[in-house]
């Protein structure tokens, strides 16, 4: 009769089943935790990639401005427009 186990065998089967259940449960919980962390990292990567693109555009704009300001005529015109500097005898009218 294959269905009859001794109490020692039943106890061993129950303990083994409980241990297997906990190991499987911990594996599943760990897997879900890792999936959540991965999705958070992906969204963080997307945000940082967008920020990097914006900073690269800003850097290019600033580099272009530096190159333009090396030209004395442009620098003088820029200072007059931006900071309201004037040449001798020149009047400044600010219109908002």
């Amino acid at each position: 009769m294959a269905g009859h186990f001794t109490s020692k065998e039943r106890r061993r089967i129950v303990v083994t089943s409980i241990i297997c259940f906990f190991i499987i449960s911990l594996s599943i919980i760990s897997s879900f935790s890792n999936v959540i962390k991965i999705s958070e990292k992906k969204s963080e990567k997307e945000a940082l990639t967008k920020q990097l693109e914006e900073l690269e555009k800003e850097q290019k704009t600033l580099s272009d401005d530096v190159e333009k300001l090396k030209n004395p005529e442009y620098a003088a015109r820029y200072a007059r427009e931006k900071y309201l500097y004037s040449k001798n005898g020149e009047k400044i009218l600010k219109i908002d």
Side-chain angles (χ1 to χ4, degrees), residues 41-72:
K41 293 295 179 185
K42 282 183 180 179
S43 63
E44 182 180 350
K45 179 185 174 187
E46 290 173 3
L48 290 174
T49 301
K50 185 176 180 181
Q51 184 181 5
L52 176 63
E53 290 172 358
E54 291 172 3
L55 289 174
E56 286 174 342
K57 287 178 185 176
E58 183 180 349
Q59 180 183 8
K60 185 177 181 334
T61 302
L62 291 174
S63 295
D64 291 343
D65 287 345
V66 167
E67 287 300 316
K68 289 177 184 177
L69 287 171
K70 288 181 181 178
N71 181 349

Side-chain angles (χ1 to χ4, degrees), residues 13-24:
I13 291 171
V14 169
V15 170
T16 304
S17 298
I18 291 172
I19 291 172
C20 288
F21 174 76
F22 282 119
I23 290 172
I24 290 170

Side-chain angles (χ1 to χ4, degrees), residues 1 5 21 23 25 27 32 35-36 38 50-51 57 59 61 64 70 74 80 82 84-85 87 89-90:
M1 296 199 164
F5 296 110
F21 174 76
I23 290 172
S25 298
S27 297
F32 282 127
V35 166
I36 291 170
I38 287 171
K50 185 176 180 181
Q51 184 181 5
K57 287 178 185 176
Q59 180 183 8
T61 302
D64 291 343
K70 288 181 181 178
Y74 179 82
R80 282 196 307 274
K82 184 85 170 170
L84 303 177
Y85 286 116
K87 294 180 183 179
E90 193 175 53

Side-chain angles (χ1 to χ4, degrees), residues 8 73 79 87 91:
K8 197 174 195 179
E73 292 174 12
K87 294 180 183 179
K91 293 183 182 180

